[in-house]
Amino acid sequence: MGRAPIEGGPQTPLGVLGAGVWGTALAVVMARSGHRVMLWGSDEARMARLAHERAHTAALPGIRFPDNLEIESDLQRVCRTASGLMLAVPSGGFRTILRAIVPLCDDTTILAWATKGLESGTHKRLSEIHAEVRPGRPAALLTGPTFAREVAAGLPAAMTVASHDVRTAEIVASWIRSERLRVYTSDDVIGAEIGGAVKNVLAIAAGISDGLGFGANARAALITRGLAELLRLGAAVGGRPETLIGLSGVGDLVLTCTDDLSRNRRVGLALAAERSLGDILGELGQAVEGVASAREVYALAREHHVDMPIIEQVYQVLFAGRSPQAAVTALLNRDPRTEADIPGATP
């Protein structure tokens, strides 16, 4: 092997692992930017269908695959060929896929992920998992307020690539940057990951609020107080406030809390209609990161003694049988306090 580190040029062979909605949308964007892209999925029959149709018609209607986007079900071939890999798999499968590709990849391969969440049972950030499985190797994460359909359709958007290494962040940004997709870079990996995990849980809360008919005032208050919780947890684990008030924090929070393209928000809407969680997830048929993240964010907050009442109530609704109405009552009946309870604020 022994490939030189990539520079992100237009002929760079890149792989996207995970042929769901988001992975497919990213593969389309990367191919449109001029890269040779291989989109990998584990279901051979499904990948054969994508290759035949040259489109993901169910999830991304009207979006045709560029000619330089290849469909691949051979993981070894993708890893041996690509100089850079983008993982777009659910957080629950992140460690597994990482372990699978490590023996197949060159040490210089840059690995990035567009997954948001914490590891189930350990509440570890994905960068922590990467450091355990692939220590000292180049890595970055892609985050920010984006829906797959709009990105694939070429609508304007902005994202952030975070890495401990500035050069790595810039290389990954070059994979997807275009006239319609503005990509910023950051070295605050912790802040970017915490923002991406917590916002999904808060989107469930926003869906519950709207589903109960509480209106725009309540939604605005929930988003604002949710941001306060996000800032408190971010500060406790080492994230920077400027990251959390940027695209990977506020930007993603506003998007997922206010638009029904968000699966997490739709879970909240359905919970407010007194539907069971099992039925909701079965109907959606896709990973809903906020459900798993609710348990892990709640555990992480308790571990660091961080007050996150909205997160706690979402956890109680999802996993402890509390009704959405009772959760709202518990939030409204909390003891009065000053608003300035976020890191850096002056009481």
Side-chain angles (χ1 to χ4, degrees):
M1 295 191 283
R3 291 186 299 265
I6 68 170
E7 298 299 334
Q11 301 306 314
T12 299
L14 301 172
V16 176
L17 307 185
V21 181
W22 190 214
T24 304
L26 287 172
V28 168
V29 169
M30 291 159 68
R32 285 177 184 159
S33 296
H35 302 285
R36 175 191 171 194
V37 179
M38 293 170 286
L39 174 63
W40 174 86
S42 59
D43 186 332
E44 292 188 12
R46 184 165 175 268
M47 299 310 290
R49 186 167 61 252
L50 292 181
H52 174 70
E53 296 178 353
R54 298 300 297 168
H56 195 322
T57 53
L60 301 172
I63 305 299
R64 300 292 300 173
F65 293 167
D67 292 341
N68 53 332
L69 173 54
E70 304 171 28
I71 305 302
E72 184 59 71
S73 58
D74 185 338
L75 182 60
Q76 178 169 312
R77 180 174 181 273
V78 175
C79 292
R80 298 294 190 194
T81 305
S83 295
L85 297 172
M86 176 72 74
L87 272 61
V89 298
S91 59
F94 186 81
R95 187 184 290 270
T96 299
I97 189 66
L98 202 58
R99 284 174 170 167
I101 65 178
V102 163
L104 305 178
C105 292
D106 191 280
D107 287 346
T108 61
T109 301
I110 291 181
L111 191 148
W113 55 90
T115 303
K116 299 170 183 176
L118 304 174
E119 185 176 43
S120 179
T122 69
H123 40 272
K124 289 182 178 179
R125 293 175 287 104
L126 304 189
S127 64
E128 293 179 292
I129 299 172
H130 181 272
E132 291 176 4
V133 178
R134 195 170 176 256
R137 302 295 182 254
L141 68 108
L142 178 66
T143 186
T146 46
F147 287 137
R149 288 185 187 179
E150 294 188 3
V151 169
L155 298 179
M159 303 188 73
T160 296
V161 171
S163 175
H164 296 299
D165 178 69
V166 174
R167 178 175 173 274
T168 297
E170 185 53 44
I171 291 173
V172 174
S174 74
W175 297 353
I176 59 171
R177 186 178 283 133
S178 70
E179 292 181 354
R180 290 300 188 98
L181 185 56
R182 184 169 179 81
V183 185
Y184 296 84
T185 58
S186 170
D187 63 355
D188 183 11
V189 173
I190 296 176
E193 288 185 303
I194 291 297
V198 175
K199 64 92 182 179
N200 282 331
V201 188
L202 294 172
I204 296 175
I208 290 173
S209 178
D210 283 350
L212 292 173
F214 290 159
N217 292 344
R219 186 194 314 122
L222 187 148
I223 292 172
T224 306
R225 296 310 303 164
L227 175 61
E229 296 188 17
L230 173 56
L231 286 166
R232 286 198 293 269
L233 182 63
V237 299
R240 298 200 300 263
E242 62 266 29
T243 303
L244 297 172
I245 62 172
L247 292 170
S248 56
V250 169
D252 222 351
L253 177 63
V254 171
L255 181 74
T256 52
C257 286
T258 60
D259 195 289
D260 288 347
L261 280 177
S262 164
R263 293 192 295 273
N264 296 287
R265 173 179 161 80
R266 298 207 306 270
V267 167
L269 289 168
L271 288 170
E274 300 184 350
R275 297 186 57 196
S276 74
L277 182 60
D279 286 347
I280 296 167
L281 297 179
E283 182 178 293
L284 288 172
Q286 301 176 47
V288 181
E289 291 288 3
V291 173
S293 291
R295 192 190 302 273
E296 302 309 319
V297 171
Y298 177 65
L300 188 64
R302 287 172 62 87
E303 181 179 300
H304 290 272
H305 307 289
V306 176
D307 185 30
M308 300 186 78
I310 299 173
I311 297 296
E312 179 180 356
Q313 293 307 315
V314 173
Y315 169 84
Q316 293 292 337
V317 169
L318 290 174
F319 303 115
R322 179 167 291 178
S323 71
Q325 294 85 352
V328 172
T329 299
L331 285 172
L332 292 176
N333 289 338
R334 297 178 72 239
D335 292 338
R337 62 191 303 170
T338 63
E339 183 182 15
D341 60 350
I342 60 177
T346 303

